[in-house]
Amino acid sequence: MIFCQTRDGALSEVSLELLTKGRRLAAETGGELEALIIGDRTAHLAAEAYRYGAAKVFCAEDKRLKDYLTLPYVRIAKHVVEAEQPDIFLAGATSVGRDMAPRLAAELGCGLTADCTALELGDCSYRGNEYKGVLKCIRPSFVANQLTTIISPSTRPQMATIREGVMAKEPLDKPVQGECITVDVAALLKDEDFAVSIIEKTARERGVDLKSAKVIVAGGYGMGSAENFGVLFRLAEVLGGEVGATRAAIDAGYVGGYERMIGQTGITVRPKLYIACGISGQVQHTVGMDKSACIISINCDAEAPIHRIADYAIVGDAVQTVERMIALIKNNRR
């Protein structure tokens, strides 16, 4: 079962990514994919869920649910999960998912793995017991250059939140003939569930949009200075792309704005072209960009981990190499 978050009257990107992944997990287990949509006027969104493989769509509609509220959303989700008994429950690692999922897991008495970057099914042994078809939740560790696999083999559902952009979004050529089930919100919710109300919402103007960029030129601490970072902006300009950065580069003041940060504590991107300049390639960064279609790494260290995941690796000074790239691109366009 996928909790499908809505945004501006449509299913969010991360929800469509999770429906795609959920469809594949369901196929591996011989089960079916279900979706839960909570909000105001959600029934029409079932058609989009069918396009991504959902066989059952549970729609909870109420004008009071237009904006996310912890108590009513969790009560509805708990009701549906207890009725359907899904083996796996997934939500996006958004502000909504990060608020709802832990409370729901506590209510259901099951485990939860947060901020996953990959999901797999497999067998495992735990405390002398053998488990089949366990959900393996993979996420970066805060300890050195490591990934951690976390399992919850003895409780159901197996719950996880997944970061935006790490899963592919692939609709079916032909939607499934799904079933839309209306949740009786009036009978389920209580007045105390609405102890909190949203008075006003203020949207912050969006600046850098790395998630939709087709080309990203990213710099790390190895760029050496804010002045050297300027060459990355020039390359991004000639390629029609955006500039990203590692946390180390941003913390060092080489480039402003955490909206440019890519990696474990930043955002996840999947551009057609990712040019990594002066980036060592620690897992905390690579989990945010290793699904890029084509990766070019530029680093003076031939043993830098970034070279191992790159399609094309250039060993050399990042500033000099990027300047040569800019000159060649401009010459070829004349």
Side-chain angles (χ1 to χ4, degrees):
M1 180 176 289
I2 309 299
F3 169 66
C4 292
Q5 188 176 338
T6 61
R7 184 174 296 162
D8 299 326
L11 297 185
S12 66
E13 291 291 305
V14 70
S15 298
L16 301 179
E17 294 165 8
L18 292 183
L19 286 169
T20 302
K21 183 63 177 180
R23 184 175 78 227
R24 292 170 179 165
L25 293 174
E28 286 187 56
T29 60
E32 66 177 10
L33 177 64
E34 299 180 342
L36 170 62
I37 309 174
I38 304 174
D40 181 27
R41 301 177 183 177
T42 61
H44 71 284
L45 299 176
E48 186 73 354
Y50 300 151
R51 290 184 63 234
Y52 284 82
K56 284 185 182 179
V57 180
F58 293 86
C59 293
E61 296 183 309
D62 191 296
K63 62 181 181 180
R64 297 172 296 175
L65 300 173
K66 179 180 179 181
D67 297 312
Y68 173 74
L69 295 169
T70 302
L71 296 178
Y73 270 60
V74 171
R75 186 181 292 276
I76 292 168
K78 180 184 178 185
H79 169 78
V80 174
V81 169
E82 288 181 337
E84 287 298 295
Q85 296 290 309
D87 193 53
I88 297 170
F89 185 94
L90 306 177
T94 62
S95 57
V96 170
R98 286 169 173 158
D99 182 86
M100 189 186 86
R103 184 180 287 263
L104 178 60
E107 292 278 351
L108 297 171
C110 63
L112 167 68
T113 305
D115 280 10
C116 297
T117 56
L119 300 172
E120 298 175 358
L121 291 174
D123 302 334
C124 68
S125 299
Y126 179 68
R127 293 185 175 178
N129 296 315
E130 298 292 327
Y131 297 93
K132 302 292 184 181
V134 171
L135 182 68
K136 296 183 177 181
C137 303
I138 301 167
R139 56 153 295 151
S141 169
F142 286 101
V143 180
N145 191 16
Q146 298 178 5
L147 290 173
T148 300
T149 300
I150 301 174
I151 59 173
S152 302
S154 57
T155 59
R156 293 295 184 271
Q158 301 167 92
M159 289 185 62
T161 59
I162 293 82
R163 296 190 60 168
E164 297 178 88
V166 300
M167 306 290 180
K169 182 183 70 173
E170 298 174 359
L172 295 169
D173 293 333
K174 183 180 180 181
V176 301
Q177 296 296 315
E179 176 186 8
C180 184
I181 301 168
T182 301
V183 179
D184 189 353
V185 173
L188 187 61
L189 298 181
K190 304 175 182 178
D191 290 340
E192 53 263 35
D193 291 326
F194 295 95
V196 174
S197 61
I198 296 177
I199 298 172
E200 182 182 4
K201 291 177 68 176
T202 302
R204 184 177 62 184
E205 185 176 347
R206 194 167 190 170
V208 180
D209 187 11
L210 290 177
K211 291 189 71 66
S212 60
K214 302 300 182 185
V215 177
I216 294 177
V217 181
Y221 188 77
M223 290 303 297
S225 68
E227 181 181 0
N228 288 342
F229 238 86
V231 74
L232 304 187
F233 282 91
R234 287 163 49 205
L235 178 58
E237 183 179 0
V238 299
L239 292 175
E242 291 279 7
V243 174
T246 64
R247 171 176 279 279
I250 293 174
D251 287 346
Y254 296 167
V255 62
Y258 282 92
E259 70 274 9
R260 295 188 185 277
M261 186 166 65
I262 298 168
Q264 181 179 3
T265 51
I267 65 171
T268 301
V269 296
R270 302 170 67 104
K272 291 184 177 180
L273 176 60
Y274 190 93
I275 304 176
C277 308
I279 294 173
S280 64
Q282 298 301 311
V283 69
Q284 285 81 2
H285 176 74
T286 59
V287 294
M289 47 67 69
D290 60 1
K291 298 297 191 300
S292 302
C294 180
I295 300 172
I296 298 175
S297 62
I298 307 171
N299 197 299
C300 59
D301 181 4
E303 302 300 320
I306 192 69
H307 292 320
R308 294 198 289 269
I309 68 167
D311 297 284
Y312 302 94
I314 300 173
V315 179
D317 181 82
V319 175
Q320 294 177 6
T321 302
V322 171
E323 286 178 339
R324 291 179 63 188
M325 292 173 69
I326 294 170
L328 288 169
I329 292 168
K330 288 183 176 179
N331 287 336
N332 288 334
R333 288 178 177 174
R334 289 176 180 173

